[in-house]
Amino acid sequence: MSGYLAMGGYALYVWGSYALTALVLGLLFFGARQGLKRRERELDSLRALAPHRRQRAGSKKGEST
Amino acid sequence: MTDTTTARSANLHRLANPGRFLRFADRIYPWCFGTMLLALTAGLVGALALSPADYQQGQSVRIMYVHVPAAWMALFVYLNLALASASLLIWRHPLAGVAAQASAPIGAAFTFLALATGSLWGKPMWGTWWVWDARLTSVLILFFLYLGYMALSNAFENEERGRRAGAVLALVGVVNLPIIKFSVDWWNTLHQPASVSRIGTPAIHSSMLWPLLVMALAFTLFYVVVLILRMRSELLAARLRALGRLAVEGR
């Protein structure tokens, strides 16, 4: 096992490459997901603050009936 | 023939509608994510365990399974950035601009990884972290093109104008793609020429080829997954800005 981890003396370069790739792609994915969630929350709170939009939707419903 | 072509382009145009795009993206997202995880697992097992050490490079050849797919993605994402930029400028599809802007940081990340893992591979194999040869220099320019696009497209108060300015830069930068591709043939570089070619048999054994291709599939799906997340986020941001303007006007 330790022989495998040593990667024939190239451990630093091989594992360094994989660790760096995991780090960069991980940051990219979780950063994108975090940003999307933050904006979803913002939009939800804005909608809660703007009841006139719901009223309009409600009055439309009223008109049709 | 023409019928299917028009049908296909009609489908593409339908996807240009943000609402339809979001529904489509929502539907394919879990499949892309699941397949990406499967490909990543299989690819890593193949790359780190099943594939043999190289007879010349020993275990260091395992760097190839992240270096080469990252470099392929650096080019592929730039091609997408350029195509999206072209459709923004020609057909004025706002969604194309969103796709271009969402692609740029992903491409920049892949280009950075290609450069960094190449450096980590170059040190033990060539004895140096970096050389100013044609391949390495042209990929470094690609990295700067991504950064330049990101800076330019974010530099305007009006998002649409920013994307349009960025699109021009992205299209000018396309000239760099064939330079990268053929740099190893046109100039005498320290970098080796391609081992995997579409024409003819690849100069790489199948025990090394399949993990490489599976890792490339995983990286491609990763691009699709992050692209969907970033495009959704950008469309929400546009809605937030519109709501903000409405609130200001309503006051």
Side-chain angles (χ1 to χ4, degrees), chain A residues 6-17:
Chain A
M7 280 290 161
Y10 299 120
L12 175 71
Y13 306 107
V14 173
W15 296 121
S17 296

Side-chain angles (χ1 to χ4, degrees), chain B:
Chain B
M1 177 64 193
T2 36
D3 275 2
T4 50
T5 324
T6 34
R8 208 173 298 144
S9 73
N11 276 333
L12 269 177
H13 281 295
R14 226 176 283 150
L15 275 181
N17 170 318
R20 287 210 182 87
F21 165 77
L22 285 176
R23 280 196 294 280
F24 173 73
D26 271 356
R27 221 176 315 137
I28 65 165
Y29 183 85
W31 295 97
C32 289
F33 191 82
T35 318
M36 176 195 74
L37 284 185
L38 281 177
L40 200 59
T41 313
L44 282 176
V45 169
L48 290 171
L50 301 179
S51 71
D54 188 71
Y55 79 102
Q56 277 184 325
Q57 306 202 348
Q59 302 286 355
S60 81
V61 76
R62 300 193 194 280
I63 297 172
M64 175 184 69
Y65 304 107
V66 285
H67 172 74
V68 171
W72 283 345
M73 291 312 293
L75 296 179
F76 178 65
V77 175
Y78 196 90
L79 201 61
N80 279 316
L81 173 65
L83 286 174
S85 294
S87 32
L88 175 70
L89 291 178
I90 298 168
W91 293 293
R92 299 178 171 249
H93 278 322
L95 200 60
V98 173
Q101 205 170 21
S103 289
I106 313 175
F110 278 125
T111 312
F112 169 77
L113 281 177
L115 288 168
T117 58
S119 203
L120 282 165
W121 200 4
K123 183 62 186 165
M125 289 303 111
W126 301 340
T128 177
W129 299 103
W130 184 264
V131 281
W132 291 102
D133 85 354
R135 172 56 74 81
L136 278 70
T137 308
S138 54
V139 174
L140 186 66
I141 290 171
L142 180 72
F143 184 60
F144 290 147
L145 279 170
Y146 276 122
L147 296 188
Y149 174 88
M150 284 157 70
L152 189 58
S153 64
N154 285 313
F156 291 79
E157 192 73 25
N158 178 320
E159 285 74 25
E160 194 61 34
R161 278 186 66 184
R163 284 173 195 147
R164 216 158 278 198
V168 175
L169 174 69
L171 287 176
V172 172
V174 167
V175 74
N176 192 32
L177 292 185
I179 295 178
I180 293 175
K181 176 77 182 74
F182 297 111
S183 56
V184 284
D185 307 322
W186 291 343
W187 291 285
N188 223 338
T189 57
L190 200 50
H191 195 285
Q192 66 172 66
S195 303
V196 183
S197 72
R198 219 170 281 176
I199 317 149
T201 42
I204 174 174
H205 193 255
S206 60
S207 61
M208 289 180 167
L209 184 61
W210 78 259
L212 184 63
L213 295 180
V214 173
M215 284 299 277
L217 174 69
F219 277 27
T220 309
L221 288 167
F222 177 87
Y223 167 53
V224 175
V225 161
V226 178
L227 182 66
I228 288 176
L229 289 177
R230 292 188 59 90
M231 284 181 74
R232 288 189 56 110
S233 182
E234 193 43 50
L235 289 171
L236 282 188
R239 219 138 101 203
L240 279 166
R241 282 192 295 268
L243 279 176
R245 269 197 293 275
L246 274 181
V248 170
E249 281 162 12
R251 222 169 266 159

Side-chain angles (χ1 to χ4, degrees), chain A residues 42-58, chain B residues 239-240 242-248 250-251:
Chain A
E42 264 176 63
L43 200 62
D44 283 347
S45 60
L46 257 184
R47 279 191 177 138
L49 277 173
H52 61 275
R53 284 179 67 84
R54 274 199 206 138
Q55 268 172 17
R56 213 169 1 167
Chain B
R239 219 138 101 203
L240 279 166
L243 279 176
R245 269 197 293 275
L246 274 181
V248 170
R251 222 169 266 159

